[in-house]
Amino acid sequence: MSEKRKILIVDDEESFCRLVKLNLERTGKYLVSMEHTGTKALGQARAFAPDLVLLDVILPDRDGFAVYRDIRSDSSLKDVPVIF
């Protein structure tokens, strides 16, 4: 069996994150991590090393565009696809 793809969800709506995580992991193809603040998103992305980031635009502390710029400026994450 192939390795599971890793997806990081950055969204302040925790119930939405749990629903997406449950549905993705139920397929058996994905490992999902969640972060609910923009300030912690880059650190979580570095630690988790995702294959894809699902990023909310409106976050309580930083907007998604600032988080996106952080991800793009990090050499280990710059090529990871990001979906807003």
Side-chain angles (χ1 to χ4, degrees):
M1 181 174 202
S2 64
E3 187 176 318
K4 292 181 181 183
R5 305 296 290 200
K6 297 195 282 184
I7 299 174
L8 172 61
I9 303 170
V10 181
D11 194 302
D12 59 319
E13 294 186 36
E14 294 183 35
S15 59
F16 170 77
C17 289
R18 284 193 305 272
L19 179 66
V20 174
K21 176 182 171 73
L22 176 69
N23 281 294
L24 287 169
E25 289 185 342
R26 185 178 287 164
T27 69
K29 297 178 182 181
Y30 305 103
L31 180 62
V32 179
S33 180
M34 303 179 296
E35 182 52 59
H36 305 296
T37 67
T39 54
K40 294 180 182 177
L42 181 62
Q44 180 64 12
R46 285 177 176 152
F48 188 61
D51 298 297
L52 173 68
V53 177
L54 300 178
L55 178 59
D56 190 7
V57 173
I58 300 170
L59 296 166
D61 53 350
R62 299 183 72 207
D63 69 35
F65 298 111
V67 175
Y68 176 79
R69 286 190 296 275
D70 290 345
I71 290 170
R72 286 291 166 254
S73 66
D74 186 288
S75 62
S76 66
L77 300 169
K78 65 181 176 74
D79 295 324
V80 174
V82 176
I83 298 174
F84 283 96

